[in-house]
């Protein structure tokens, strides 16, 4: 697949159309049924072997000898039961619990070595970009408002067409193909054709972007008082992953921008959308239970945040526009965060001045195979995050003297593979280096929505894995001119404590609304009306920052607590396993999906742990089960000791469910569904 060959044939891309369709959709790769079964069976097998060999268990430290049996629920289901007497040598997962006596937070936060031995087996190199052509140069460009061919060749013709979006939910307008020349088109699909034996064929595709600045009056706010605010979200990036995968970028941020790491950020919901709503709207949309048993109600029902357009709800994008900022939203997946899973309406009209959405639309909906290949990464070394960074560059250069707010959401890099973001380290490093002056004048918030969710069961059995599942990355740098006013000191103090997305949100609102009047020198605790969080740029209240006080559902709590492995208690496994499955089945019925989805039966209880609880009358268990129609679910179950009533927290489906839940889409999409027919 070398460069030589592509040069000779003059063709950019070699895979067949067929191949392309097989792998077209980013997520569909994981939907292939056989692969799905294979992985499920393989991982179960692997776990069983591992379990027998190491007898892994939680807690302890020194090598000990114990009698271990497999999760005895398997007994009941006539699976082979092996009782082994093995020497357990729990691999040393070095973690110091830090204890800052200044705060009575009562939350033990671990310090992991991100390169701990236990994580190494899971750091599988992502070879996606290994054989891509690094030297490829585009045949066309769009610079200074002109679309040009920069590599001419006999017999090759190149044309472009414009994709415009009149409004966020309006149909796209696509022009006819036109020849190179001046254009004000912001999203241009360029394609080249060559005459071959079988007629003309496409040999090249590219998506060019440019920002044509809107000629509107400059708002009466000045950049000197209202610095740019740039938020970058890398989907699924855990703190530890960032340290492993993006070392060059992080080193640069630390040394050049004096960025502060907040290693104890907790997510507040399971998936992207239910963490985005808290960040953008300040509303909790996933109900849950707090540590200690207090119920956390959702602020908005699914009907409210999903079935209605969100334009009229107060939100961060609106806040920045109202203040006079020029804004851009760069989400690089067509299933934009707000509209995805379940299928939701999101915004009806543009919520920012510019949006990257048209590019994702061209990339994922165009009929032209060559265009799609240009951002797949495997042929030429270019992916959609690079196009996103380029669009960011164009935006900041188009409005040099206006205060700007951008929110960039990188969906694909870290989502599927633990080492996935490795390949982006050089890209982000270069991006921050090239824009150092711009970032020296801005607030830069680099964060993630949730921790790493696509790991295997074995990964989450390690202490680091369990932690990284719910510990999204967060790092903040402030404009150079404010770095000496005590802001960094207070940020570093706050970095030692538990934080949530609500605190990130409060920080952004503080930058926008409250700090400018004091030139960013106000460190006094501030309660922002109707907000759940506390700005990281100020002293946070002394109230304990733990999962009994902060709005974090207990299942995402990263404060370490003792737990006791109960998988050997067959009776309890059976009772709780059955109740959990009955609960899942009733949820499916509640969504009126009983006819479409299989009823689940238990195959094995993979994990059952008793959580230490401060609550005298309730017991909380963490349970993870594998079902007959191969799926894997996890939740926390709280039992009232007196009434024996069970309450269930948010259910997470842990296997790669792919398209197995798709049939639920027309009624109510839920990943709890395993479709009877697909
Ligand atoms: C286990 O196997 C025995 C004999 O094969 C059978 O009678 C019994 O019903 C099985 N139990 C379950 C729970 O499948
Ligand atoms: C942390 O410090 C407090 C007060 O010094 C002490 O009571 C508590 O046991 C410590 N916690 C841990 C986990 O060391
Ligand atoms: C685009 O414009 C800039 C500034 O006017 C100029 O320096 C640059 O050479 C131009 N590039 C092209 C390809 O015309
Ligand atoms: C951005 O959008 C706001 C609100 O619609 C508008 O007032 C402002 O003029 C726009 N700015 C630019 C540069 O387009």
């Amino acid at each position: 697949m070398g460069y030589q060959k592509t040069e000779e044939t003059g063709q950019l891309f070699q895979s067949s159309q067929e191949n392309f369709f097989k792998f077209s959709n980013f997520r569909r790769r994981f939907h292939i049924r056989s692969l799905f079964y294979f992985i499920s069976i393989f991982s179960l097998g692997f776990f069983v072997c591992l379990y027998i060999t190491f007898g892994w268990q939680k807690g302890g430290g020194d090598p000990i000898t114990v009698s271990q049996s497999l999760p005895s629920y398997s007994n009941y289901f006539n699976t082979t039961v092996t009782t082994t007497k093995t020497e357990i040598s729990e691999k040393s997962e070095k973690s110091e619990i830090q204890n800052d006596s200044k705060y009575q937070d009562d939350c033990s936060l671990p310090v992991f070595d991100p390169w701990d031995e236990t994580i190494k087996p899971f750091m599988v190199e992502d070879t996606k970009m290994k054989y891509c052509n690094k030297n490829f140069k585009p045949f066309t460009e769009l610079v200074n408002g002109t679309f040009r061919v920069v590599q001419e060749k006999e017999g090759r013709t190149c044309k472009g067409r414009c994709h415009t979006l009149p409004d966020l939910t309006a149909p796209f307008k696509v022009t006819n193909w036109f020849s190179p020349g001046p254009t004000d088109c912001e999203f241009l699909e360029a394609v080249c054709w060559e005459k071959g034996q079988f007629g003309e064929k496409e040999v090249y595709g590219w998506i060019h972007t440019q920002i044509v600045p809107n000629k509107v009056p400059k708002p009466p706010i000045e950049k000197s008082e209202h610095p740019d605010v740039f938020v970058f979200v890398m989907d699924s990036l855990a703190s530890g992953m960032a340290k492993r995968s993006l070392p060059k970028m992080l080193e640069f941020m630390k040394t050049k921008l004096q960025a502060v790491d907040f290693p104890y950020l907790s997510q507040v919901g399971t998936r992207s959308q239910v963490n985005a709503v808290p960040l953008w709207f300040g509303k909790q949309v996933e109900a849950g239970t707090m540590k200690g048993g207090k119920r956390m109600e959702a602020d908005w029902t699914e009907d409210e945040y999903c079935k209605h357009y969100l334009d009229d709800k107060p939100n961060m994008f609106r806040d920045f526009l109202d203040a006079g900022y020029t804004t851009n939203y760069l989400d690089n997946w067509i299933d934009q965060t707000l509209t995805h899973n379940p299928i939701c309406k999101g915004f009806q009209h543009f919520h920012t001045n510019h949006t990257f959405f048209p590019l994702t639309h061209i990339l994922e909906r165009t009929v032209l195979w060559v265009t799609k290949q240009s951002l797949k990464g495997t042929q030429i070394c270019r992916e959609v995050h690079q196009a996103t960074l380029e669009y960011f560059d164009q935006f900041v250069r188009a409005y040099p003297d206006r205060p700007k707010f951008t929110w960039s959401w990188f969906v694909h890099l870290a989502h599927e593979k633990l080492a996935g973001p490795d390949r982006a380290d050089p890209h982000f490093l270069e991006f921050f280096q090239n824009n150092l002056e711009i970032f020296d004048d801005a607030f830069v918030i680099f964060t993630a929505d949730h921790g790493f969710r696509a790991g295997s069961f074995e990964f989450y059995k390690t202490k680091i894995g369990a932690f990284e599942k719910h510990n999204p990355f967060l790092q903040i740098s402030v404009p150079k001119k404010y770095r000496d006013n005590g802001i960094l000191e207070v940020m570093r103090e706050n970095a030692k404590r538990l934080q949530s997305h609500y605190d990130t949100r409060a920080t952004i609102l503080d930058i926008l609304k409250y700090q400018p009047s004091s030139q960013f020198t106000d460190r006094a605790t501030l309660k922002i009306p109707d907000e759940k969080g506390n700005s990281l740029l100020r002293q946070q209240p002394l109230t304990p920052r733990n999962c009994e006080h902060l709005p974090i559902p207990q299942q995402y709590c990263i404060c370490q607590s003792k737990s006791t492995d109960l998988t050997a208690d067959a009776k309890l496994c059976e009772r709780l396993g059955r109740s959990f499955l009955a609960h899942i089945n009733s949820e499916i019925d509640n969504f009126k999906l009983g006819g479409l989805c299989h009823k689940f039966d238990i195959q094995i209880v993979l994990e059952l742990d008793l959580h230490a609880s401060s609550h005298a009358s309730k017991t909380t268990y963490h349970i993870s089960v594998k079902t007959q129609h191969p799926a894997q679910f996890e939740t926390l179950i709280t039992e009232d000791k007196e009434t024996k009533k069970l309450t269930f927290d948010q259910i997470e489906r842990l296997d790669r469910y792919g398209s197995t839940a798709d049939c639920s889409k027309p009624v109510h999409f839920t990943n709890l569904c395993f479709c009877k027919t697909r």
Side-chain angles (χ1 to χ4, degrees), residues 396-644:
V396 292
R397 280 163 186 71
Y399 297 103
D401 54 356
R402 295 182 186 220
K404 292 175 286 298
F405 171 63
T406 63
W407 193 293
S408 312
W409 197 298
F410 301 91
V411 179
H412 310 289
L413 287 165
H415 201 277
E416 299 297 332
K417 293 199 172 134
L418 203 58
D422 285 7
R423 63 189 194 270
D425 194 25
H427 308 151
F428 278 97
L429 175 66
E430 196 189 334
F431 168 74
F432 282 110
Q433 277 172 340
N434 291 346
N435 292 309
L436 179 57
E437 266 176 48
I438 287 167
F439 293 128
D440 255 342
D441 261 350
F443 281 91
V444 180
I445 298 165
F446 203 120
T447 188
D449 46 356
H450 47 69
F452 185 63
R453 298 182 66 211
S456 59
F457 174 65
E458 295 75 29
F459 176 64
Y460 297 124
K461 284 290 272 188
T462 67
K463 278 185 191 156
I464 293 196
F467 188 72
E468 293 195 357
K469 191 176 180 189
H470 297 140
N471 173 227
F473 178 64
L474 174 63
Q475 182 181 70
I476 299 178
S477 75
V478 309
K480 198 173 189 172
K481 63 178 172 187
Y482 303 135
R483 283 177 208 157
D484 293 332
N485 71 11
I487 202 168
L488 297 179
E489 287 71 14
V490 90
M491 286 164 72
R492 287 188 195 118
E493 271 300 302
N494 292 333
K496 295 174 187 164
R497 309 178 76 190
L498 180 67
Q499 307 294 344
S500 82
H501 288 321
Y502 289 108
D503 303 299
T504 310
R505 174 181 161 82
T507 308
I508 298 171
L509 295 178
D510 195 18
I511 295 167
L512 177 67
K513 299 181 178 177
Y514 302 97
Q515 289 287 353
S517 61
S518 74
Q519 272 125 50
F520 294 82
T521 57
D522 196 351
R523 304 287 147 263
T525 307
L526 172 74
K527 165 90 185 89
I528 305 179
D530 299 324
E531 291 295 332
K532 300 180 210 274
N534 285 97
S535 170
L536 295 162
L537 312 182
R538 296 167 179 271
Q539 270 137 23
Q540 293 182 314
L542 288 172
T543 17
R545 300 190 68 79
N546 59 36
C547 305
E548 292 180 27
H549 292 88
L550 299 186
I552 300 168
Q554 58 176 347
Q555 71 210 99
Y556 311 121
C557 188
I558 55 172
C559 303
Q560 307 289 287
S561 58
K562 285 208 175 64
S563 67
T564 318
D565 187 352
L566 294 176
T567 31
D569 185 338
K571 268 199 151 145
L572 191 65
C573 280
E574 186 189 334
R575 180 167 70 84
L576 294 177
R578 279 204 179 284
S579 307
F580 182 27
L581 276 264
H583 172 66
I584 295 174
N585 289 331
S586 80
E587 288 285 289
I588 291 170
D589 285 338
N590 288 344
F591 292 136
K592 306 203 170 22
L593 289 167
L596 292 171
C597 317
H598 282 294
K599 283 267 178 301
F600 287 109
D601 283 319
I602 225 161
Q603 186 178 2
I604 188 169
V605 173
L606 293 166
E607 279 185 284
L608 182 68
D609 317 287
L610 175 69
H611 275 216
S613 165
S614 54
H615 213 279
S617 65
K618 287 179 179 155
T619 320
T620 301
Y621 303 95
H622 163 243
I623 188 169
S624 168
V625 301
K626 201 164 155 39
T627 57
Q628 301 281 7
H629 296 285
Q632 193 185 321
F633 299 101
E634 171 181 273
T635 196
L636 294 184
I637 304 181
T638 301
E639 180 169 41
D640 189 307
K641 284 181 187 160
E642 221 169 83
T643 63
K644 298 282 171 207

Side-chain angles (χ1 to χ4, degrees), residues 214 216 318 321 325-326 353 399 402:
N214 295 332
V216 292
R318 170 59 43 208
L321 283 177
Y325 272 73
T326 303
N353 294 113
Y399 297 103
R402 295 182 186 220

